[in-house]
Amino acid sequence: MGPALSSARAPETAAAPGGLAPQQLIEIYRLMYLSRCVDDREILLKRQQKIFFQISGAGHEALQVGAALALRPGYDWFFPYYRDRALCLALGVTPTEMFLQAVGAATDPASGGRQMPTHWSSRALHIVSTSSSTTTQVLHAVGCAEAGRYFSHHPEAAAKAQGDYRAFHDVEFHGDEVAFTSLGEGSTSQGEFWEALATASNKKLPVIFCVEDNGYAISVPVEVNTPGGNISKLVANFPNFYFAEIDGTDPEVCLRTFQAAAEHCRAGHGPAFVHGHVIRPYSHSLSDDDKLYRSAAEREADAMRDPLTRMQMRLLREGILSADEITALEHAADREAAEAAERALEAPLPEVSGIRKHVYSEDLDPTSAAFASEDVQAAGAGPGKSASAKGSAPRTMADLINACLHDEMRRDPRIVVYGEDVADASREAVLSEVKGKGGVFKLTAGLQTEFGSERVFNSQLAEANIVGRAVGYATRGMKPVVEIQFFDYIWPAMHQIRNELALMRWRSNGAWAAPVVMRVPIGGYLTGGSIYHSQSGESIFTHTPGLRVVFPSNALDANGLLRTAIRCDDPVLFLEHKRLYRETYGRAPYPGPDFAIPFGKAKIVRPGQHITLVTYGAVVPRALQAAEKAQREHGIDVEVLDLRTLNPYDWEAIATSVRKTSRVIVAHEDMLSWGYGAEIAARVADELFDELDAPVRRVGAMDTFVAYQPVLEDAILPQPENILKAILDLRAY
Ligand SMILES: Cc1ncc(C[n+]2csc(CCOP(=O)(O)OP(=O)(O)O)c2C)c(N)n1
Ligand SMILES: [Mg+2]
């Protein structure tokens, strides 16, 4: 970026040139009042135990109605939070739809009874499904804005295509669209808030950040979360922003401010930050009682600023409505809320049989024959097909992953690749004189040079940022193929992975999805990799519904499985073992640009009769060594099964082999206790008990982290000798 641009700033109370028409003021009051009525009605229903949770937007109505009326539902994009009832009402969500959510009806359009009330989602209005997690949504808004800009620069990428995820993701975009996101002042403490501001600022993205400052995060007052008590003061130096700090209880000021913010964004000047001071008259939620931590005087002072009362007084004072007309408007709103609630209480409940629907894509099954081009391998190989893997000489896993990325990016203009150090060089000017970085392991080498800096770029050093933005990109129909530099550093992104990425489809009842690919170098056996460059931990992710987990052991599988990961419609954690990147083991000729391997299909890498050895990743070559020795020195014939994908996994292949051998070992590099093998072992014991002639045996790392000193590393991680010992023990039964 160049030098910081001076930021636009709105005055504390923006003057209203011209003023709003009486009809507009009445409509604003109606929306604000209706929002409060829906809250009040829900509170009643909760007290009657007809709904199960309630959180209100009371006190925030003016700010939210102002925002909604300045923006365009179904055109702009919205990433709100649980307080945003008036926002959503003004965008077009109906009271009936809100009550359907409160009762958890099958016809709840936001989630089909899966989410709490006020966890918004509407495809038609462009409200992207939100979670209960504070702050995660702001990164989605950033990715969404990036996607919008990408499509307006590359309209060809929006074209419908068959044969992959694109068939199920229609793209809409507008060159001057805006992404709106909101959060409470307490939520600005999360790192993701600062990460989002940084990206939006750097890239001058059209994102409006709205902080709804009611002074409390549940019971915690603002000064505990925000040094100095004012978030506007802290963010003031971010370049390219339009800033406004306003009285969020005055809807006209709010509307004017959001109009100016939207103008700034639509003109391409950068993001906007609107900080609205609001009140919270109803405690945090019905599970909270603010009398426990707020003084009576403070609560009374808040009540004096109630936006509803203030607006009502204004309408009367300015002679826009008489007292009778106000009463009539309010009665109509009360009636509308009551009737909507009645309708929702009669709505059908969700079927228990549908619980599993939308955990994964219902449209595109990555285990299906559509991805089974394994047999055509090498058919498409040859010069010119891939810049980085020409000819039929055996190539490393690193080469064939890089080749797949090149091939797929050529084929699919919706793919973007980003992460830490993945670009050849962020400063493009140097590319004429340097070779380029292309990833710390060089897996993305040459991609920026071939596809340009808008498709391949370095992210900030912030893993939640990488995954959170990817969720936003993907909800717009793009395919982010992101890299987390080391598995050991995936943890800052865990919140986004577990609570957002993997859940997007299920929690929105199939309305939204985030089919992102996360490529992650993993594992040890590095001689000096130590604690923070050797971790395993795949079972933590296979324990997350909605996420596919892939772990290839050789170059060809990596190529074919990565292609399936990219083309499929589910989020995929693609684990690449660092030790295998350039091993002699498992090299293969380039298999061509359409070579794909379906998920959930294990491979028998060594057929055998006596013992089944189920494994994956870097333990595959070690298991093969042990099996060869067992055969050579002890006459034991071990069948080695490489699972290749861990979720889904090939139960049929395991069962078939165990029925043949009656003995089974599960071996993996990760720690033994609560590791991936525990699940397989338990299922074998459960479903194949009658087939077994011996107990199920597991081999894994010691229950520690991996140490630096090679003597320790060797002892900690499972070696061929450990596997051989398990084979001999099991044969002795
Ligand atoms: C990541 C995360 N941590 C904790 C919570 C529990 N929680 C829900 S709301 C909330 C307070 C949020 O306060 P603020 O951001 O000021 O928004 P407000 O509710 O006041 O509008 C907390 C701690 C959560 N939902 N998500
Ligand atoms: Mg708050």
Side-chain angles (χ1 to χ4, degrees):
M1 293 302 304
L5 301 181
S6 67
S7 299
R9 180 172 284 278
E12 173 78 15
T13 45
L20 294 177
Q23 241 2 80
Q24 280 176 294
L25 291 169
I26 295 169
E27 177 57 8
I28 287 171
Y29 181 61
R30 192 190 70 81
L31 287 165
M32 289 167 55
Y33 188 84
L34 182 59
S35 178
R36 188 76 62 95
C37 285
V38 176
D39 271 327
D40 289 343
R41 180 64 50 174
E42 271 194 7
I43 289 166
L44 195 67
L45 294 176
K46 172 74 173 74
R47 297 213 160 108
Q48 295 170 342
Q49 299 183 7
K50 290 180 175 163
I51 66 170
F52 319 100
F53 182 76
Q54 209 283 331
I55 192 160
S56 90
H60 293 225
E61 293 96 341
L63 185 66
Q64 295 175 13
V65 170
L69 297 185
L71 298 170
R72 307 177 193 163
Y75 185 103
D76 295 321
W77 295 82
F78 299 90
F79 297 83
Y81 82 122
Y82 50 78
R83 284 260 180 250
D84 285 334
R85 185 185 300 289
L87 175 95
C88 291
L89 199 60
L91 290 175
V93 179
T94 66
T96 304
E97 289 170 334
M98 293 185 181
F99 287 114
L100 287 170
Q101 212 182 4
V103 301
T107 45
D108 150 30
S111 80
R114 291 170 174 190
Q115 289 236 69
M116 287 172 153
T118 73
H119 289 50
W120 315 106
S121 169
S122 165
R123 271 212 86 93
L125 301 172
H126 288 185
I127 303 172
V128 178
S129 168
T130 54
S131 70
S132 300
S133 303
T134 60
T135 328
T136 44
Q137 73 277 10
V138 297
L139 284 167
H140 306 168
V142 169
C144 166
E146 291 177 276
R149 175 175 294 169
Y150 181 83
F151 282 125
S152 58
H153 292 180
H154 302 273
E156 74 286 355
K160 193 138 181 117
Q162 296 302 321
D164 60 37
Y165 71 97
R166 285 173 292 178
F168 311 101
H169 295 272
D170 291 341
V171 170
E172 299 168 60
F173 67 97
H174 300 280
D176 64 346
E177 66 181 45
V178 167
F180 168 92
T181 185
S182 51
L183 71 168
E185 87 295 335
S187 302
T188 63
S189 285
Q190 297 278 0
E192 284 159 291
F193 167 73
W194 299 94
E195 294 176 16
L197 290 189
T199 309
S201 172
N202 259 345
K203 296 186 125 184
K204 293 175 91 172
L205 294 170
V207 181
I208 299 178
F209 296 88
C210 171
V211 174
E212 303 185 18
D213 186 347
N214 57 20
Y216 279 88
I218 309 184
S219 69
V220 181
V222 59
E223 68 275 13
V224 176
N225 273 299
T226 309
N230 185 321
I231 190 66
S232 280
K233 290 214 169 81
L234 300 188
V235 301
N237 283 328
F238 274 101
N240 303 321
F241 268 87
Y242 167 92
F243 287 111
E245 182 182 358
I246 56 173
D247 176 357
T249 65
D250 180 335
E252 184 161 358
V253 168
C254 297
L255 174 57
R256 299 261 177 232
T257 304
F258 282 109
Q259 283 168 338
E263 215 170 285
H264 177 84
C265 291
R266 293 194 205 287
H269 297 321
F273 186 89
V274 177
H275 176 193
H277 291 279
V278 296
I279 60 161
R280 199 193 70 183
Y282 280 11
S283 296
H284 172 73
S285 71
L286 272 204
S287 318
D288 175 49
D289 177 5
D290 68 354
K291 293 189 198 71
L292 296 175
Y293 51 85
R294 293 182 80 179
S295 71
E298 187 185 290
R299 286 186 287 109
E300 278 155 27
D302 242 22
M304 298 303 286
R305 290 180 58 225
D306 192 312
L308 259 61
T309 322
R310 292 185 63 187
M311 192 61 187
Q312 191 195 66
M313 299 306 286
R314 177 175 175 188
L315 294 175
L316 280 170
R317 196 175 56 242
E318 296 182 10
I320 294 169
L321 287 181
S322 67
D324 285 350
E325 286 168 326
I326 286 180
T327 308
L329 179 152
E330 292 177 354
H331 278 166
D334 281 333
R335 230 181 5 260
E336 186 179 347
E339 286 168 8
E342 284 311 312
R343 271 194 295 280
L345 286 167
E346 286 158 19
L349 299 184
E351 299 284 340
V352 171
S353 60
I355 288 170
R356 286 199 174 83
K357 202 167 175 206
H358 301 306
V359 174
Y360 301 100
S361 168
E362 305 284 316
D363 302 313
L364 194 55
D365 178 1
T367 69
S368 74
F371 293 100
S373 60
E374 205 166 353
D375 297 337
V376 305
Q377 68 170 268
K385 286 285 164 93
S386 170
S388 51
K390 290 178 184 164
S392 58
R395 314 296 304 180
T396 64
M397 184 192 272
D399 286 340
L400 289 194
I401 288 173
N402 180 266
C404 179
L405 291 169
H406 275 276
D407 288 342
E408 289 304 300
M409 288 195 79
R410 256 174 238 152
R411 177 182 170 275
D412 177 359
R414 292 195 199 172
I415 298 173
V416 287
V417 167
Y418 64 91
E420 293 155 17
D421 298 285
V422 303
D424 291 324
S426 285
R427 295 179 179 164
E428 292 175 14
V430 299
L431 279 174
S432 56
E433 61 174 276
V434 299
K435 185 154 177 263
K437 179 79 176 166
V440 292
F441 296 103
K442 298 250 164 290
L443 276 276
T444 51
L447 293 176
Q448 181 198 1
T449 304
E450 179 169 348
F451 300 105
S453 303
E454 222 179 348
R455 295 189 68 193
V456 183
F457 50 89
N458 288 325
S459 68
Q460 292 144 246
L461 202 173
E463 287 76 12
N465 175 291
I466 294 170
V467 176
R469 285 160 68 191
V471 171
Y473 265 114
T475 57
R476 298 294 302 274
M478 288 194 64
K479 176 65 73 169
V481 180
V482 301
E483 181 176 299
I484 299 293
Q485 197 161 72
F486 292 88
F487 182 85
D488 313 67
Y489 308 122
I490 201 167
W491 311 118
M494 192 64 190
H495 193 196
Q496 286 284 350
I497 294 170
R498 168 103 187 165
N499 280 354
E500 302 294 337
L501 181 78
L503 260 162
M504 186 58 90
R505 190 188 293 274
W506 189 81
R507 78 174 186 223
S508 66
N509 207 13
W512 302 96
V516 169
V517 177
M518 296 174 292
R519 294 185 33 257
V520 189
I522 189 171
Y525 298 112
L526 301 177
T527 313
S530 188
I531 304 166
Y532 300 105
H533 298 85
S534 304
Q535 288 178 29
S536 298
E538 55 275 14
S539 62
I540 296 167
F541 296 89
T542 53
H543 199 63
T544 296
L547 190 64
R548 306 291 191 181
V549 181
V550 180
F551 202 155
S553 72
N554 60 75
L556 196 63
D557 286 354
N559 183 281
L561 290 167
L562 181 58
R563 190 161 280 107
T564 303
I566 291 172
R567 295 185 187 182
C568 87
D569 203 14
D570 292 318
V572 180
L573 181 68
F574 192 85
L575 300 171
E576 303 170 0
H577 202 289
K578 301 185 288 281
R579 179 62 202 261
L580 297 177
Y581 270 152
R582 293 184 168 80
E583 288 271 277
T584 319
Y585 166 80
R587 292 186 183 195
Y590 168 65
D594 282 311
F595 173 69
I597 299 175
F599 291 172
K601 303 282 183 284
K603 191 172 190 177
I604 299 173
V605 290
R606 184 187 194 285
Q609 297 298 322
H610 299 145
I611 291 177
T612 298
L613 179 42
V614 180
T615 188
Y616 54 88
V619 180
V620 172
R622 287 159 181 79
L624 284 171
Q625 272 183 44
E628 291 307 325
K629 200 162 180 188
Q631 178 82 70
R632 215 170 40 241
E633 297 179 6
H634 306 277
I636 306 171
D637 191 15
V638 178
E639 177 147 297
V640 181
L641 216 62
D642 178 359
L643 286 179
R644 309 200 289 186
T645 62
L646 305 185
N647 182 25
Y649 68 95
D650 193 344
W651 173 247
E652 276 318 303
I654 296 170
T656 305
S657 181
V658 172
R659 282 193 191 102
K660 179 172 69 176
T661 63
S662 303
R663 287 175 164 78
V664 61
I665 299 168
V666 191
H668 52 62
E669 176 180 339
D670 199 3
M671 290 175 281
L672 190 76
S673 302
W674 297 282
Y676 187 78
E679 174 65 24
I680 304 290
R683 190 165 174 196
V684 169
D686 183 359
E687 296 183 32
L688 301 173
F689 183 72
D690 293 340
E691 308 287 342
L692 293 173
D693 288 342
V696 184
R697 189 53 58 90
R698 287 179 295 152
V699 177
M702 292 168 69
D703 291 339
T704 74
F705 287 89
V706 177
Y708 172 68
Q709 167 54 239
V711 169
L712 303 180
E713 180 182 21
D714 285 352
I716 290 164
L717 293 179
Q719 307 297 337
E721 305 82 68
N722 306 112
I723 301 171
L724 181 63
K725 181 169 180 315
I727 292 170
L728 298 179
D729 283 356
L730 214 58
R731 184 61 179 157
Y733 263 89

